Amino acid sequence: MKILITGGTGLLGSNLVKILQENHQVLSPTRKELDITNNTSVDKYFFNFNPDVVIHCAAIAKFAIAETKPLDTLNTNVGGTFNIVKACMLYKTKMVYISTSHVFDGEQGNYKSTDKVNPLTKYSKSKVAGEMATLIHDNSLVIRTEFCEETFPFETAYIDKFSSKEYIDVIAPKIAEKCISDQTGICHVGGPRRSFFEFGKLRNPNVKEGSVKDLISKSNVPILIDTSLISN
């Protein structure tokens, strides 16, 4: 199988490249080779390489950048995704779109893939727009997930903020399996529901307890309390 991975140098993309290249032909172009925001560049790349599956990881994923540079976010996360979807439809290529648990408002947690989304930030709104564009293509799969590096990078973690976030070395193989499956529609891939403190303590036994109340008072964007997912 010939698999194109956009954003192949990012945390998830680079891990998927390592996993999938063991049994498949994996294409991981640089931005110079494939500029997702340029429709001509996308069409040329598909014409030359004609992939069987596209795993679309490329995105502006940092919340701060999305909030301060909304036009860049719109151009990349929405416009770039539109270009990839259109090419997949024209070339009859399966598309896998990597989305986020942050499409939900975090008020209830344990979200099912059929639950109604309610994005609150510019980043999450751009990802929902990408989901909707992707789902126009019948042969597509939206994967909502949340992950971090192999180590927990913070000294303090919240005891009252919850998610299904998982470490990249644990979750990347699960996502890779979904990407090459026949599944279409929307799926959730994550770990069990845990507080950030419980999650951090798995790989940093010295992590200290903190409260999301301190974050809420300082943040200029909505804080999502519980974005945990029910995997399917």
Side-chain angles (χ1 to χ4, degrees):
M1 188 181 294
K2 190 187 298 182
I3 302 173
L4 166 61
I5 299 179
T6 68
T9 59
L11 180 59
L12 177 59
S14 60
N15 276 269
L16 291 178
V17 169
K18 291 177 185 177
I19 294 167
L20 293 170
Q21 68 184 0
E22 293 181 6
N23 297 301
H24 303 277
Q25 180 184 353
V26 175
L27 308 170
S28 179
T30 64
R31 181 168 184 176
K32 185 176 180 181
E33 295 168 325
L34 172 60
D35 180 357
I36 66 168
T37 66
N38 185 306
N39 186 59
T40 301
S41 174
V42 172
D43 187 67
K44 182 179 178 181
Y45 195 90
F46 271 71
F47 178 80
N48 288 333
F49 295 99
N50 195 18
D52 300 302
V53 178
V54 175
I55 305 174
H56 185 41
C57 300
I60 290 177
K62 293 186 181 295
F63 303 118
I65 295 177
E67 290 296 322
T68 57
K69 296 184 177 180
L71 286 178
D72 289 346
T73 302
L74 187 67
N75 193 37
T76 300
N77 294 5
V78 183
T81 300
F82 167 75
N83 290 335
I84 296 294
V85 175
K86 185 166 70 170
C88 285
M89 294 177 74
L90 289 173
Y91 287 86
K92 303 186 185 309
T93 303
K94 180 172 182 180
M95 177 166 174
V96 179
Y97 176 74
I98 303 300
S99 191
T100 172
S101 60
H102 286 217
V103 299
F104 298 107
D105 55 24
E107 292 188 1
Q108 67 180 56
N110 283 325
Y111 291 101
K112 302 186 294 293
S113 60
T114 53
D115 285 339
K116 185 177 180 179
V117 298
N118 185 27
L120 300 181
T121 66
K122 289 182 172 63
Y123 165 70
S124 58
K125 289 172 183 176
S126 74
K127 295 303 286 185
V128 168
E131 286 190 5
M132 296 301 104
T134 298
L135 292 170
I136 291 173
H137 181 30
D138 292 334
N139 191 15
S140 66
L141 177 65
V142 170
I143 298 178
R144 295 178 183 145
T145 188
E146 191 173 354
F147 50 85
C148 76
E149 300 87 350
E150 292 185 20
T151 58
F152 190 75
F154 306 110
E155 295 181 359
T156 304
Y158 308 115
I159 61 172
D160 48 2
K161 192 174 190 304
F162 302 86
S163 75
S164 295
K165 181 178 285 192
E166 191 57 275
Y167 292 99
I168 190 64
D169 55 307
V170 175
I171 205 166
K174 297 178 182 179
I175 293 175
E177 185 177 350
K178 289 285 188 181
C179 289
I180 59 175
S181 73
D182 294 329
Q183 188 171 355
T184 57
I186 301 174
C187 75
H188 289 174
V189 181
R193 179 182 182 272
R194 293 177 288 219
S195 70
F196 273 41
F197 177 74
E198 291 171 317
F199 176 70
K201 204 168 181 62
L202 291 173
R203 297 199 175 177
N204 180 4
N206 298 316
V207 68
K208 299 182 177 107
E209 294 185 4
S211 173
V212 74
K213 295 176 183 178
D214 301 326
L215 182 62
I216 291 174
S217 63
K218 300 174 184 177
S219 178
N220 295 320
V221 296
I223 302 301
L224 310 183
I225 300 299
D226 191 342
T227 56
S228 56
L229 305 173
I230 295 177
S231 296
N232 64 306

